[in-house]
Amino acid sequence: MNEHALFQERVVRLEKPQQRCLFLIAHNGQMLGLDDDEQRCLCDEGNDRVVWDRTPGGFRHVATGVEMSAAVDGGTCTLQVGCERVAFTPSLGPEQLPSAYLRHLRQEGWVCLTCILPDEVVLGLERVACTDRFAHLEQTQGVPKICQDVAVARAVCEPISLWLIRNYLGTEDLHLGHPPGFGVLSPYEGTGKVQRWHVDIPYIPSIGGNPVADRKGPIKAVQRNVCVSDFTKERGATAYKLGSHLADTPPPPAWNAADANEHGLPYSGADADVVEAPAGSIILYDARTWHRAGINRSKRKRAGMLQSFQTADVIPKRDTRHACARLHESAVYPQLNDREQREITELLMNQPRQE
Ligand SMILES: O=C(O)CCC(=O)C(=O)O
């Protein structure tokens, strides 16, 4: 095989799920779950407790098999929880149990929650990114993306990915490393900037001032790439060296050398991987993983929403408190439910703790 051949990365393809489980979501954003005694309870966390399947007469709790009867009328059902009657909206949830995703994340250093975001959230993200159904528009500048459409904060607060990140990092206390932004790749026409292989903060120098962390020390950050467009190899899906979170070093300089191939592009040989996933999927990966944006050889722009979730001791690249203040003043904030308002405020306002 020609070592310098382009676009030879191995493709790992996640297909659109045939079947998805459900969440039962209350007006305040809490989800119906079963506690350790198999009693109904209201939960904030996206773990196995809150995942249900539909049955002819109601719902089945996937993790325990406990069934309950319920009548869904006009898209909602009212159920007894303790001494309260609570109305729930059944909404499409994950393909797998959160514990199965966590196993994959711990074993492989990455996981994909395929098609986890609702269609209306994907639509809102496309609108802000100005891609796909809104590709004819230009992005609004000067207003934080999180204030432009409720979909941005809603995607940040997706409950299973937050539960996975907290469990992988072993802490409840997280913050975002920068206000949510979009990585939009225009079609590559043979010239122009192409992202190089890298790892993410805190494993590289940061303009925020965080010292470079030891790759062998405690894990300090998880990246979350939300597929706003369909992520395919041809359309510039992120390239990774899967498993490289365990490597002693960042990517080899040869992978970024001008002579990595005859076109001066970063390495795209068969030792690298591309994760293909449909729009609405969320890809989580350990920040030590070698990766780079793909090269968009399609005719359409590709958007991802990119975030870094960091432990309490990491100094963010950008202060996110200003974006939070703007969000609180914006028309978007009241559209978020109580759970989302709490989560997003915490993730943007938490400040690093010096150890
Ligand atoms: O846009 C992409 O596909 C990946 C970008 C990314 O992950 C990064 O900038 O760290």
Side-chain angles (χ1 to χ4, degrees), residues 72-129:
V72 180
D73 186 13
T76 64
C77 57
T78 302
L79 296 162
Q80 194 72 30
V81 183
C83 42
E84 276 183 279
R85 303 276 299 158
V86 184
F88 293 97
T89 305
S91 313
L92 278 179
E95 182 183 17
Q96 297 179 36
L97 277 175
S99 57
Y101 291 125
L102 183 60
R103 255 192 317 278
H104 192 281
L105 179 59
R106 285 188 171 143
Q107 271 165 16
E108 309 293 335
W110 71 279
V111 72
C112 180
L113 310 186
T114 313
C115 295
I116 187 78
L117 293 175
D119 291 343
E120 70 273 12
V121 171
V122 178
L123 187 73
L125 297 177
E126 288 176 15
R127 191 182 295 124
V128 177

Side-chain angles (χ1 to χ4, degrees), residues 143-199:
V143 179
K145 299 291 186 238
I146 201 152
C147 302
Q148 294 185 21
D149 195 295
V150 69
V152 177
R154 198 152 270 162
V156 173
C157 297
E158 191 292 310
I160 296 188
S161 54
L162 293 183
W163 179 80
L164 289 169
I165 295 168
R166 289 188 168 116
N167 277 273
Y168 187 72
L169 293 174
T171 177
E172 291 289 305
D173 193 0
L174 296 180
H175 57 258
L176 287 171
H178 52 79
F182 289 78
V184 176
L185 299 182
S186 296
Y188 180 70
E189 282 162 354
T191 55
K193 261 185 124 178
V194 168
Q195 202 183 44
R196 307 272 126 184
W197 285 96
H198 61 286
V199 296

Side-chain angles (χ1 to χ4, degrees), residues 10 20 25 28 39 41 45 100 102 126 130 139 147 178 186 188 200 216 250 258 296 332 337-339 343:
R10 178 179 73 114
R20 309 231 329 249
I25 305 179
N28 65 4
Q39 300 300 307
C41 58
E45 294 197 318
L102 183 60
E126 288 176 15
C130 296
Q139 281 192 25
C147 302
H178 52 79
S186 296
Y188 180 70
D200 281 314
K216 293 285 168 208
N296 184 356
V332 157
N337 63 42
D338 296 354
R339 183 190 69 79
E343 285 284 19

Side-chain angles (χ1 to χ4, degrees), residues 183 195 198 200 223 225 231 236-238 285 291-294 302 306:
Q195 202 183 44
H198 61 286
D200 281 314
Q223 300 303 119
N225 292 7
F231 266 38
T238 314
Y285 55 101
H291 66 282
R292 61 165 172 77
R302 182 232 72 176
L306 311 172

Side-chain angles (χ1 to χ4, degrees), residues 235-257:
R235 204 172 167 191
T238 314
Y240 304 89
K241 172 69 183 163
L242 296 176
S244 58
H245 61 298
L246 299 178
D248 288 344
T249 60
W255 279 27
N256 285 325

